[in-house]
């Protein structure tokens, strides 16, 4: 297997875009990434596109072909493949691109993610998102994503010492970071009152415990590490790519407050990279709801079960803390265009490792990690990156 590096990145602003279509968003991010890698489109050997539900959100399927066509690459006949794993679609698309280059099947591969969620009303987007859970056992009886994560939060708060105020600190921190990220959907700091007095969505989760509905796209270009310097002075090495699965329905889990797929993907990633938790300088985790960030920090092994709430409240995961978590603002403040999120996490990791993260730069960042979740944890992708 060859070592692989990220040589170019691009990302649209995340938000509610009435003036840009699904294909416009994708092309915008793709062109940014290709220009960043100093490439011509014809040099691309393969494309992998993360997308969860264009069929429900914009009534368009056959996304791989659509993207190749509107990127101007259909005439090059390059293979273009849609990857679907709910909210982990982007993370898995990235993994496929890395595997293609590592194996020698491709030299230059693009991994992208795109979702246009705001063309439908909230009831339809809620139902489309619920398709990432078990439709027969969860969706048909009315379980929504906020509802399922509320069950995780309730179970967690019953068993571990997490207060409502500590949970709110996840949102406060991520909005603070989002206010320093020019692509974030919400670039506004919030207070404890904002969270605690916001509308109840699914008890105990309030509006400001939830990621929003978002339009956006992100793209990255990967190449063999040995040739990466031909394209960029700052290639970022992919130190590990890992993936894991678990039961799709929450009630079948061994423990609903622990995402075993995160534990497995994290362990595999650390083993592949030959690193320990203490080597990680920052991590982008899948905070689709505030409780998800608490679980992620623990399930990746950065602290013991039951400690993440206290550590968050003490500033351990803040921008200037021991382990900055979600420097981009996370899904909570940066936004969550579901198929694009896993690629946006890679985008953020690359900016941090290049030293290009502006007001949210983690000083001296050498090694970063991403964790991207599909559903309530039935699919998890974990990646580790390092400066070269
Ligand atoms: N956090 C903070 N503010 C939010 C928000 C969020 N998650 N979602 C919406 N808002 C704001 C909007 O900007 C708007 O503000 P404004 O009045 O100042 O313009 C206001 O709240 C109302 O927005 P609206 O779009 O009408 O909200 P909604 O009630 O339709 O949707 C949720 C709110 C929480 C239901 C929706 O964001 C949601 O479903 N989130 C979860 C998404 C999800 O499950 N993703 C997959 C996870 S695995």
């Amino acid at each position: 297997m060859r070592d692989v590096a990220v040589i170019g990145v691009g990302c649209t602003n995340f938000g509610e875009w009435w003036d840009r279509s699904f294909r416009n968003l994708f092309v915008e991010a793709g062109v940014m990434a290709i220009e960043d890698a100093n490439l011509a489109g014809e040099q691309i050997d393969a494309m992998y596109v993360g997308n969860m539900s264009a069929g429900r959100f914009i009534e368009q399927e056959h996304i791989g072909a659509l993207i190749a066509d509107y990127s101007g690459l259909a005439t090059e006949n390059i293979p273009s493949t849609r990857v679907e794993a709910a909210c982990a679609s982007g993370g898995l698309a990235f993994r496929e691109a890395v595997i293609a280059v590592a194996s020698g099947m491709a030299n230059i591969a693009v991994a992208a993610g795109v979702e246009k969620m705001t063309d439908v009303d909230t009831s339809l987007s809620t139902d489309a998102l619920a398709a990432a859970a078990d439709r027969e056992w969860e969706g048909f009886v009315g379980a929504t994503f906020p509802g399922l994560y509320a069950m995780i939060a309730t179970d967690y708060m019953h068993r571990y010492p997490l207060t409502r105020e500590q949970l709110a600190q996840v949102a406060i921190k991520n909005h603070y970071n989002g206010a320093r990220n020019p692509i974030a959907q919400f670039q506004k700091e919030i207070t404890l009152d904002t969270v605690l007095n916001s509308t109840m969505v699914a008890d105990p989760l309030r509006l400001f415990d939830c990621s929003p509905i978002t339009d956006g796209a992100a793209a990255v270009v990967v190449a063999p590490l040995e040739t990466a310097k031909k394209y960029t002075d700052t290639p970022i090495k992919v130190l590990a790519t890992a993936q894991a699965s678990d039961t799709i329905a929450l009630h079948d889990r061994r423990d609903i407050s622990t995402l075993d797929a995160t534990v497995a993907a994290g362990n595999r990633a650390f083993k592949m990279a030959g690193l320990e938790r203490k080597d990680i300088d920052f991590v982008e985790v899948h905070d689709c709801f505030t409780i998800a960030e608490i679980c992620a920090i623990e399930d990746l092994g950065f602290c013991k079960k039951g400690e993440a709430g206290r550590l968050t409240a003490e500033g351990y995961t803040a921008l200037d803390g021991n382990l900055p978590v979600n420097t981009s603002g996370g899904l909570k403040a940066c936004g969550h265009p579901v198929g694009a999120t896993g690629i946006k996490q890679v985008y953020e990791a690359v900016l941090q490792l290049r030293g290009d993260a502006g007001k949210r730069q983690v000083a001296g960042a050498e090694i970063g990690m991403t964790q991207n979740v599909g559903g309530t944890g039935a699919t998890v992708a974990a990646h580790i990156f390092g400066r070269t």
Side-chain angles (χ1 to χ4, degrees):
M1 289 290 214
R2 302 189 290 185
D3 284 335
V4 177
V6 181
I7 60 167
V9 294
C11 193
T12 68
N13 290 349
F14 281 7
E16 183 170 351
W17 303 128
W18 294 95
D19 54 345
R20 282 186 273 176
S21 69
F22 179 92
R23 55 191 81 182
N24 295 151
L25 289 167
F26 176 83
V27 170
E28 187 182 325
V31 167
M32 271 191 247
I34 290 168
E35 284 182 351
D36 188 43
N38 298 302
L39 281 173
E42 310 82 73
Q43 290 170 273
I44 297 167
D45 297 318
M47 286 172 55
Y48 297 90
V49 185
N51 172 257
M52 175 181 167
S53 198
R56 297 294 305 280
F57 289 125
I58 59 161
E59 298 186 8
Q60 174 75 58
E61 304 289 9
H62 210 174
I63 298 306
L66 177 91
I67 296 303
D69 190 4
Y70 278 80
S71 304
L73 295 172
T75 48
E76 301 294 325
N77 306 119
I78 69 155
S80 177
T81 308
R82 174 184 181 172
V83 179
E84 191 277 305
C87 305
S89 300
L92 264 54
F94 179 73
R95 183 170 148 79
E96 292 303 318
V98 171
I99 290 169
V101 172
S103 71
M105 289 289 285
N107 271 320
I108 305 284
V110 172
V114 55
E115 209 79 54
K116 181 86 179 72
M117 301 173 74
T118 68
D119 289 359
V120 298
D121 65 19
T122 306
S123 59
L124 203 158
S125 60
T126 301
D127 190 59
L129 291 166
D134 187 325
R135 183 61 89 177
E136 288 192 13
W137 288 100
E138 295 176 319
F140 282 158
V141 291
T144 61
F145 261 88
L148 290 165
Y149 273 92
M151 288 184 215
I152 295 175
T154 303
D155 178 64
Y156 186 102
M157 293 171 96
H158 179 66
R159 293 164 58 195
Y160 302 108
L162 173 70
T163 66
R164 191 38 276 206
E165 288 73 16
Q166 288 170 339
L167 190 57
Q169 293 301 329
V170 173
I172 295 166
K173 167 185 68 69
N174 290 350
H175 273 261
Y176 179 91
N177 295 349
R180 284 147 186 80
N181 185 353
I183 67 151
Q185 181 164 359
F186 298 130
Q187 297 179 31
K188 196 175 71 173
E189 291 182 33
I190 57 169
T191 64
L192 187 59
D193 277 353
T194 320
V195 185
L196 298 187
N197 296 324
S198 62
T199 308
M200 183 63 80
V201 174
D203 193 13
L205 303 178
R206 293 177 176 272
L207 183 67
F208 276 83
D209 289 297
C210 304
S211 58
I213 308 284
T214 310
D215 303 327
V220 302
V221 186
V222 292
L225 180 64
E226 62 192 10
T227 56
K229 280 258 160 94
K230 274 196 333 202
Y231 307 101
T232 174
D233 293 337
T234 52
I236 300 302
K237 186 175 176 187
V238 182
L239 298 172
T241 173
Q243 179 184 339
S245 307
D246 200 348
T247 66
I248 192 156
L250 204 51
H251 62 254
D252 285 329
R253 299 275 167 83
R254 181 188 64 78
D255 170 353
I256 71 167
S257 298
T258 300
L259 274 65
D260 281 345
T262 294
V263 176
N267 285 340
R268 285 171 194 162
F270 279 103
K271 188 172 174 203
M272 185 173 179
L275 293 171
E276 295 177 37
R277 272 64 180 178
K278 65 174 173 46
D279 298 320
I280 301 294
D281 296 316
F282 65 90
V283 56
E284 286 286 301
V285 303
H286 196 97
D287 59 321
C288 50
F289 300 93
T290 45
I291 186 64
E293 177 166 315
I294 297 291
C295 291
I297 295 166
E298 295 168 352
D299 298 342
L300 288 171
F302 291 111
C303 64
K304 291 204 188 89
K305 212 71 202 164
E307 288 184 350
R310 177 182 56 78
L311 289 173
T312 303
E314 288 173 2
Y316 190 88
T317 58
L319 263 189
D320 58 354
N322 294 41
L323 178 71
V325 176
N326 282 329
T327 57
S328 70
L331 285 54
K332 174 66 209 74
C334 194
H336 183 26
V338 284
T341 284
I343 303 291
K344 182 227 70 183
Q345 293 179 325
V346 179
Y347 171 83
E348 175 70 9
V350 168
L351 292 192
Q352 288 287 351
L353 293 170
R354 285 178 178 174
D356 286 344
K359 290 179 184 162
R360 60 187 195 289
Q361 180 65 49
V362 174
E366 295 279 333
I367 297 176
M369 183 170 198
T370 61
Q371 177 249 13
N372 185 204
V373 178
T376 52
T379 302
V380 173
H383 291 101
I384 302 179
F385 303 88
R387 284 171 65 93
T388 47

